C-alpha cells in the first residue's frame, strides 16, 4: 500500500490557469514572425523611398546654367548703320558751302527674339534714332572724314562737334529733305544649332521714344522658326535675382575684328521701380550694364522670363562715367503691352516636365506587398485565436460529487468523512467506476486501500 500526500508531490496549479512555460516555436509562429519582419522592412523601404522622392529637387527644375543657355539661343547682335550727308557752311572749307558725304555712322546694340516668326525686341533709342543724337554722330563722322588727324585729338574734335550742334547744321539723306537711311542687321552668337548664321536685314516695325517707354520691334523674314523667350507682364518685387545680357561695345573693341562677340551675363537684383518725368515707368537694377548692351534682355533668374530691356545708366556730374550699380531697364508691363499692340504672338512659359511617377509606383507596389504579406499572417493569427477561444477545462469540475437521492448523514466534527464517488471527466482521463473510498489516516494523509 502506498500513501499520496496532499501537501507534497501533487499538482500545484489548477487546470486552466495560464502557466509561464516555454513552448517550442511552431511553423505557424515562424510564418507570423517572418511575415511581420517582411512587413516592417517593406514599410521602412516605402517610407525611405517616399522621403527621397519628396526631398529630391525636381530633375526638370531650371537652374541658372540652363536658363543662360536658353537666353543665349534667343539673343541677337544688332548692327545699326545710318547713311547721310552733313551741310558745311561757306567759309569752313572754302568760300562755298558743301554737302559732305555720303557718311556712314552707327553703332551696335543687343536684342532678344520674342516671337518664333522672327520678331525681335530691342531698345527704342537703338533704331528710333534721337534726332539730336543722330546729328551728333554725323557731325563727328564728317569732321573725321575731313580731317582724319582729329581722331588723335578728341578735345579739338569735341569743339568742332559742339560748333556744328550750336549752328544746327543740316543733316539729310540721299535726297534733299529726306532723313538719313537706316540699315539694321542681326546675327545670333556662335553656338550649336543657331539659325541666323549670317547678318540678316531686319525691318523696324515700331519703336517708342525714350520718354514713352523706349521699346522697339524688329522683324526678320524668310527664316525657320526661331527660339523665343517669354515676356513677363509685371515687374518682380525688389530683391528678385535677375541677369542682364547683351554685347558690350567695350568688349568688341578689344576682340579680333574677324571673330563674333560672345554675350556677357551680368548678375544682379531688382532695386526699385521709378517714374520718369514723362510719366513712363522704369525699373532700376543692380546688374552692371554698358553701351552696346542696350536692347538686350534682363531676365528673371527663377523663370527665365524677360522683365525688361537694358536701357540706360546714370552718369556722374561731369558725364564722363556711369554711376556703378545704377542702371535701368524698360518696364515689363510697358514692354508686354507694346508687343501685344503690334500683334506679336508671345510664347508662354514652358510647363514643368512631369517626371515618371516612380514614387507612386513604389508606394502602390509597397501597399500591395504589405497586403499580400499580411494576409497569411492574419489567417494564421485567426486560426490560433479560434483555438484559444475553445472552452477551457476547469479542474474543479473533475471533483464534483455525484448527485445522491438522499443527503449524506451528518458526521461530527473531527470524525473521518467518506469521500464521494468520482464522476467521469469530459476528457475521459478518469475511470468511469468509482473505486473504494479512501480513508484518512491519523496524520492527515489519504490512505489508499
Amino acid at each position: 500500500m502506498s500513501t499520496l500526500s496532499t501537501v507534497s508531490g501533487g499538482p500545484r496549479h489548477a487546470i486552466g490557469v495560464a502557466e509561464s512555460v516555454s513552448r517550442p516555436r511552431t511553423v505557424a509562429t515562424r510564418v507570423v514572425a517572418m511575415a511581420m519582419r517582411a512587413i516592417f522592412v517593406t514599410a521602412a523601404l516605402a517610407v525611405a523611398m517616399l522621403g527621397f522622392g519628396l526631398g529630391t529637387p525636381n530633375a526638370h527644375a531650371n537652374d541658372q546654367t540652363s536658363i543662360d543657355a536658353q537666353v543665349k539661343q534667343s539673343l541677337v547682335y544688332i548692327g545699326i548703320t545710318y547713311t547721310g550727308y552733313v551741310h558745311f557752311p561757306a567759309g569752313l572749307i572754302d568760300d562755298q558751302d558743301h554737302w559732305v558725304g555720303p557718311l556712314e555712322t552707327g553703332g551696335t546694340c543687343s536684342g532678344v527674339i520674342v516671337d518664333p516668326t522672327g520678331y525681335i525686341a530691342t531698345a527704342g533709342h537703338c533704331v528710333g534714332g534721337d534726332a539730336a543724337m543722330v546729328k551728333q554722330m554725323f557731325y563727328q563722322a564728317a569732321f573725321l572724314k575731313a580731317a582724319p588727324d582729329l581722331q588723335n585729338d578728341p578735345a579739338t574734335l569735341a569743339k568742332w562737334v559742339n560748333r556744328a550742334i550750336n549752328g544746327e547744321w543740316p543733316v539729310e539723306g540721299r535726297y534733299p529733305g529726306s532723313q538719313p537711311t537706316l540699315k539694321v542687321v542681326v546675327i545670333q552668337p556662335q553656338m550649336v544649332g543657331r539659325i541666323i548664321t549670317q547678318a540678316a536685314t531686319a525691318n523696324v516695325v515700331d519703336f517708342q521714344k525714350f520718354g514713352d517707354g523706349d521699346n522697339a520691334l524688329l522683324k526678320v523674314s524668310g527664316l525657320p522658326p526661331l527660339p523665343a523667350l517669354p515676356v513677363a507682364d509685371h515687374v518682380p518685387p525688389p530683391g528678385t535675382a535677375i541677369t542682364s545680357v547683351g554685347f558690350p561695345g567695350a568688349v568688341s573693341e578689344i576682340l579680333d575684328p574677324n571673330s563674333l562677340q560672345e554675350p556677357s551675363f551680368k548678375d544682379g537684383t531688382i532695386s526699385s521701380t521709378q517714374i520718369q518725368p514723362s510719366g513712363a515707368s522704369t525699373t532700376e537694377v543692380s546688374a552692371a550694364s554698358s553701351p552696346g548692351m542696350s536692347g538686350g534682355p534682363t531676365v528673371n533668374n527663377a523663370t527665365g522670363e524677360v522683365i525688361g530691356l537694358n536701357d540706360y545708366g546714370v552718369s556722374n556730374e561731369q558725364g564722363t562715367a556711369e554711376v556703378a550699380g545704377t542702371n535701368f531697364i524698360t518696364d515689363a508691363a510697358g514692354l508686354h503691352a507694346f508687343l501685344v499692340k503690334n500683334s506679336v504672338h508671345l510664347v508662354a512659359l514652358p510647363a514643368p516636365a512631369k517626371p515618371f511617377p516612380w514614387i507612386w509606383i513604389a508606394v502602390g507596389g509597397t501597399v500591395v506587398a504589405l497586403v499580400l504579406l499580411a494576409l497569411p499572417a492574419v489567417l494564421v493569427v485567426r486560426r490560433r485565436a479560434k483555438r484559444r477561444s475553445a472552452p477551457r477545462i476547469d479542474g474543479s469540475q473533475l471533483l464534483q460529487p455525484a448527485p445522491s437521492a438522499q443527503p449524506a448523514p451528518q458526521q461530527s466534527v473531527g470524525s473521518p468523512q467518506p469521500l464521494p464517488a468520482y464522476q467521469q471527466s469530459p476528457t475521459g482521463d478518469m475511470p468511469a467506476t468509482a473505486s473504494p473510498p479512501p480513508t484518512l489516516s491519523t496524520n492527515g494523509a489519504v490512505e489508499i486501500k
Side-chain angles (χ1 to χ4, degrees):
M1 174 173 57
S2 64
T3 61
L4 179 63
S5 171
T6 61
V7 177
S8 61
R12 294 179 181 270
H13 302 284
I15 299 175
V17 178
E19 298 180 4
S20 297
V21 294
S22 60
R23 296 185 176 87
R25 296 182 64 183
T26 63
V27 175
T29 304
R30 288 194 294 269
V31 170
V32 173
M34 293 175 62
M36 294 303 295
R37 283 197 296 269
I39 290 174
F40 287 132
V41 171
T42 306
L45 288 175
V47 172
M49 291 180 66
L50 184 60
F52 176 78
L54 295 178
T56 302
N58 188 346
H60 298 275
N62 289 328
D63 55 30
Q64 193 56 48
T65 301
S66 63
I67 288 180
D68 289 350
Q70 293 172 6
V71 172
K72 182 179 179 180
Q73 291 178 350
S74 301
L75 283 178
V76 293
Y77 180 92
I78 301 177
I80 301 103
T81 303
Y82 288 97
T83 303
Y85 299 78
V86 175
H87 185 263
F88 276 39
L92 189 62
I93 299 177
D94 52 34
D95 293 339
Q96 303 293 324
D97 57 343
H98 295 274
W99 284 95
V100 178
L103 301 170
E104 286 190 353
T105 186
T108 62
C109 277
S110 307
V112 57
I113 301 169
V114 292
D115 186 329
T117 60
Y119 285 100
I120 299 170
T122 189
H125 68 261
C126 288
V127 296
D130 179 17
M133 181 184 68
V134 172
K135 282 186 177 182
Q136 181 176 341
M137 293 167 58
F138 270 109
Y139 296 152
Q140 182 173 330
F143 287 121
L144 288 175
K145 185 174 182 178
D149 292 342
L150 291 177
Q151 181 72 46
N152 300 321
D153 189 356
T156 303
L157 177 60
K159 185 174 86 171
W160 281 106
V161 169
N162 288 333
R163 180 177 176 179
I165 293 174
N166 295 331
E168 297 183 353
W169 295 3
V171 176
E172 296 182 356
R174 183 175 181 182
Y175 303 101
S178 65
Q179 295 296 321
T181 304
L182 170 65
K183 182 179 181 180
V184 180
V185 295
V186 299
I187 189 171
Q188 288 179 285
Q190 186 68 44
M191 60 183 171
V192 177
R194 66 174 181 157
I195 297 174
I196 309 177
T197 58
Q198 296 181 348
T201 301
N203 297 319
V204 179
V205 177
D206 192 9
F207 71 92
Q208 296 172 326
K209 294 182 179 180
F210 180 80
D212 296 334
D214 205 26
N215 297 301
L217 182 63
L218 310 178
K219 178 69 165 63
V220 291
S221 303
L223 295 174
L226 299 172
L229 288 183
V231 178
D233 59 0
H234 65 280
V235 182
T240 301
I242 53 93
T243 301
S244 296
V245 191
F247 301 90
V251 174
S252 65
E253 293 176 358
I254 62 175
L255 297 179
D256 179 357
N258 297 320
S259 65
L260 192 60
Q261 182 178 350
E262 285 290 312
S264 296
F265 294 80
K266 309 293 186 180
D267 294 334
T269 58
I270 296 290
S271 299
S272 66
T273 299
Q274 305 293 343
I275 303 298
Q276 295 177 323
S278 62
S281 297
T282 186
T283 303
E284 180 191 2
V285 297
S286 65
S289 187
S290 60
M293 293 183 66
S294 291
T298 291
V299 299
N300 186 332
N301 287 358
T303 64
E305 291 179 292
V306 178
I307 59 173
L309 303 176
N310 305 329
D311 202 4
Y312 65 97
V314 177
S315 300
N316 58 17
E317 294 181 357
Q318 292 75 27
T320 58
E322 292 185 348
V323 178
T326 308
N327 296 294
F328 291 85
I329 63 175
T330 62
D331 179 63
L335 172 63
H336 190 278
F338 171 77
L339 298 176
V340 171
K341 182 194 73 171
N342 284 282
S343 302
V344 175
H345 293 88
L346 297 174
V347 296
L349 274 174
K354 295 182 179 180
F356 192 77
W358 291 113
I359 295 177
W360 299 115
I361 290 178
V363 173
T366 302
V367 172
V368 173
L370 290 175
V371 173
L372 294 178
L373 290 173
L375 184 60
V378 170
L379 294 176
V380 172
V381 171
R382 291 186 62 184
R383 183 176 297 177
R384 291 172 62 87
K386 287 183 178 180
R387 290 179 179 177
R388 286 195 297 266
S389 63
R392 297 288 184 179
I393 301 174
D394 188 358
S396 62
Q397 296 176 358
L398 300 179
L399 299 178
Q400 293 293 331
S404 175
Q406 296 180 355
Q410 296 200 7
Q411 303 288 337
S412 60
V413 177
S415 60
Q417 301 290 330
L419 296 178
Y422 290 97
Q423 290 181 329
Q424 183 177 359
S425 68
T427 58
D429 293 334
M430 302 299 294
T433 58
S435 60
T439 59
L440 295 177
S441 65
T442 58
N443 59 3
V446 178
E447 183 177 354
I448 305 298
K449 294 183 180 181

